[in-house]
Amino acid sequence: QLQMEESGGDSVQAGGSLKLTCTGSGKMTDSCRLGWYRQPPGSQREMVSTIESDGTTAYGNSVKGRFTISQDRGKNTFYLQMNNLQPDDTAVYYCLARCYIAKATHYDYWGQGTQVTVSS
């Protein structure tokens, strides 16, 4: 069972940058899709970005062109580089490792979240 831990959350001004890091307690195998999600105040959790073992990425529409996800599975770590942050990016950011056992069976391993606050 993986334990995930985020770091890098902070308070920044609009236009600033942050880099989030997620580290797993064990190996994130090629069957794991890694991702960042966020939950703004009073809103539901939403997908920010995901990355597959082959490097295929996906982004939410609101972050395309500003955020970049990357990975280093050899270090059991993946990242989210966030540029040109805006107040609407304020949220608790969670990392997720979704690891597939079979085509329709997976386990989700969530981190505890890290706060990102962007002031105007």
Side-chain angles (χ1 to χ4, degrees):
Q1 186 171 359
L2 284 175
Q3 294 183 352
M4 313 298 288
E5 184 172 6
E6 306 95 340
S7 62
D10 205 343
S11 297
V12 297
Q13 291 192 327
S17 297
L18 284 174
K19 186 173 185 177
L20 304 183
T21 299
C22 180
T23 301
S25 61
K27 182 174 176 58
M28 293 180 282
T29 68
D30 289 350
S31 69
C32 298
R33 174 183 299 148
L34 309 177
W36 290 96
Y37 290 72
R38 68 186 181 186
Q39 188 163 14
S43 299
Q44 292 186 332
R45 195 171 298 189
E46 62 185 18
M47 188 276 283
V48 175
S49 183
T50 62
I51 188 166
E52 307 289 348
S53 60
D54 65 0
T56 301
T57 59
Y59 294 92
N61 286 334
S62 64
V63 306
K64 284 180 181 177
R66 300 188 298 124
F67 291 11
T68 303
I69 191 170
S70 61
Q71 62 186 344
D72 186 344
R73 295 200 186 216
K75 295 182 178 180
N76 299 324
T77 301
F78 61 107
Y79 311 92
L80 185 69
Q81 176 67 46
M82 305 186 293
N83 297 329
N84 191 22
L85 283 160
Q86 299 300 313
D88 284 349
D89 296 316
T90 294
V92 178
Y93 283 71
Y94 299 89
C95 67
L96 167 68
R98 171 164 287 176
C99 300
Y100 287 82
I101 307 303
K103 187 175 181 179
T105 304
H106 64 267
Y107 293 96
D108 286 347
Y109 303 101
W110 289 95
Q112 81 289 349
T114 187
Q115 178 70 46
V116 172
T117 302
V118 185
S119 58
S120 57

